[in-house]
Amino acid sequence: MHFDELIGHFGQHTVDGLSKGAIYALIALGYTLVYGVLRLINFAHSEVFMVGTFAVLILWNQLGVENNPPIGQAILLLVLGLVVAAAASGGTALALERIAYRPLRRKNAPPLIFLITAIGLSLVFVELFGQVLPKLFGSMLPDVFGRPRQIIGMPTIIQQETLFTIGNTAITNIQLIVFVSAVVMMALLDWFINRTRYGRGVRAVAQNPETAALMGVNQERVIMLIFVIGGIMAGAAALLWSMRFGFTQNSIGFVLGLKAFTAAVLGGIGNLRGALLGGLFLGIVEVYGATLFASNWEDVIAFVVLIVVLMFRPTGLLGESLGRARA
């Protein structure tokens, strides 16, 4: 156990964990929104994130982007990447809801059927991007689908540089962009849910769908809205992931999705602010654990922490459901 390394670079490891946890938190919002309204664990949401990373990769590949473009071009590429990733992930999430989950709701399928369907959809998307699309478009997009199931690198849009140093803790531009962007997006979503008419509709359906329907709230529109919002947040996370880590893969969403779901449960699933807290907490704990033990223990540590927290706080760190959120 490397206590000296952890203590000696405590600030640096904390900053690394916060920037990593911010991405977990953005993905976790999709899980917590859907669960808060439908009591559905949408395990296919991890592949919604994966679609976003491929959308960014295809966009930059088709534009012929090279490493370290000029700052003005880099900003434009990031904005375009955000729009394309959000549209791809949001559209994918909406399609999943309309094609798969809506028919099950109309038939009053039991929760287990929804869970099995979500897992099945996740596997379908993994194989779609691992086998089907490479066979169809491998010759057209060799840099994207030319190596099925392999890790695919992305161009570096912004070179990582140290902006400032506090003690022996260096804060880089990428870490700051990722953390601030994630917090701003989550703050906007929290404002939207708690302060707007559409947000009141979401909370009404989450609290009591029958009463909400009697009050004139269109439940189907609310459900479509939460899937789209969750998809957009996953698309934003995909862009931030592309900036910070610079690679993707057809199976990239599997472990990340489990960790984001863990973050949602840690914070209190169905709680937007809990997703933020859970994501940041999980990111920090992972980095601390990898420093103390070894990087290959990172995933184990994340789930051990989940078990320990739930033993003492079964409802998560915050525990308030979306339906009881206050305006």
Side-chain angles (χ1 to χ4, degrees):
M1 298 180 71
H2 305 95
F3 284 108
D4 292 341
E5 170 65 21
L6 177 61
I7 300 302
H9 299 87
F10 185 79
Q12 192 64 62
H13 295 314
T14 301
V15 170
D16 292 342
L18 287 173
S19 63
K20 191 176 186 179
I23 297 175
Y24 291 160
L26 278 179
I27 304 172
L29 290 172
Y31 289 103
T32 208
L33 277 170
V34 172
Y35 183 84
V37 172
L38 291 177
R39 295 298 184 268
L40 163 66
I41 300 174
N42 179 23
F43 279 121
H45 186 65
S46 56
E47 274 52 64
V48 172
F49 164 80
M50 180 268 291
V51 170
T53 63
F54 271 91
V56 173
L57 174 61
I58 292 171
L59 171 69
W60 291 346
N61 176 263
Q62 291 300 100
L63 293 177
V65 177
E66 298 182 355
N67 290 332
N68 305 320
I71 185 63
Q73 184 179 343
I75 293 173
L76 179 60
L77 288 170
L78 291 177
V79 172
L80 287 175
L82 177 61
V83 172
V84 170
S89 293
T92 301
L94 180 61
L96 290 176
E97 196 283 320
R98 294 287 91 180
I99 296 171
Y101 297 136
R102 186 183 187 186
L104 293 178
R105 288 201 316 275
R106 288 185 168 181
K107 295 178 180 179
N108 293 320
L112 181 60
I113 300 301
F114 281 92
L115 181 62
I116 294 172
T117 301
I119 295 172
L121 287 170
S122 177
L123 296 175
V124 166
F125 270 89
V126 169
E127 295 306 312
L128 179 67
F129 279 79
Q131 289 193 53
V132 179
L133 294 183
K135 289 181 180 179
L136 294 176
F137 302 107
S139 58
M140 295 172 55
L141 298 169
D143 293 334
V144 178
F145 295 117
R147 294 177 297 159
R149 301 183 183 279
Q150 301 299 310
I151 292 176
I152 308 166
M154 296 184 179
T156 301
I157 303 300
I158 296 180
Q159 184 66 39
Q160 182 163 277
E161 298 175 350
T162 300
L163 289 180
F164 53 90
T165 303
I166 303 174
N168 63 347
T169 302
I171 312 295
T172 69
N173 52 349
I174 298 297
Q175 289 172 331
L176 191 63
I177 290 171
V178 168
F179 181 75
V180 172
S181 299
V183 170
V184 167
M185 284 184 282
M186 286 181 279
L188 289 174
L189 178 58
D190 187 76
W191 171 82
F192 176 81
I193 294 296
N194 288 307
R195 300 293 179 184
T196 67
R197 182 167 64 91
Y198 293 106
R200 286 194 294 271
V202 171
R203 288 185 286 118
V205 174
Q207 189 173 34
N208 193 317
E210 290 79 14
T211 302
L214 293 175
M215 297 297 292
V217 178
N218 189 318
Q219 185 174 353
E220 289 299 320
R221 287 183 182 177
V222 166
I223 293 171
M224 290 173 62
L225 178 64
I226 61 167
F227 271 89
V228 170
I229 291 175
I232 289 172
M233 292 295 164
L239 176 67
L240 297 179
W241 172 272
S242 303
M243 288 177 58
R244 191 181 189 282
F245 297 100
F247 71 90
T248 188
Q249 190 181 15
N250 68 306
S251 59
I252 193 174
F254 178 72
V255 174
L256 271 175
L258 286 177
K259 290 182 180 179
F261 176 68
T262 299
V265 174
L266 277 173
I269 191 162
N271 187 315
L272 296 179
R273 296 171 187 175
L276 170 61
L277 179 61
L280 297 179
F281 178 74
L282 183 64
I284 291 173
V285 167
E286 271 194 3
V287 174
Y288 288 172
T291 304
L292 278 175
F293 302 101
S295 58
N296 56 349
W297 282 83
E298 188 176 271
D299 298 339
V300 176
I301 292 166
F303 297 115
V304 168
V305 169
L306 172 65
I307 294 169
V308 171
V309 170
L310 293 183
M311 285 174 62
F312 298 97
R313 283 286 293 182
T315 58
L317 297 175
L318 298 185
E320 185 182 15
S321 72
L322 184 65
R324 292 194 296 272
R326 296 184 180 275

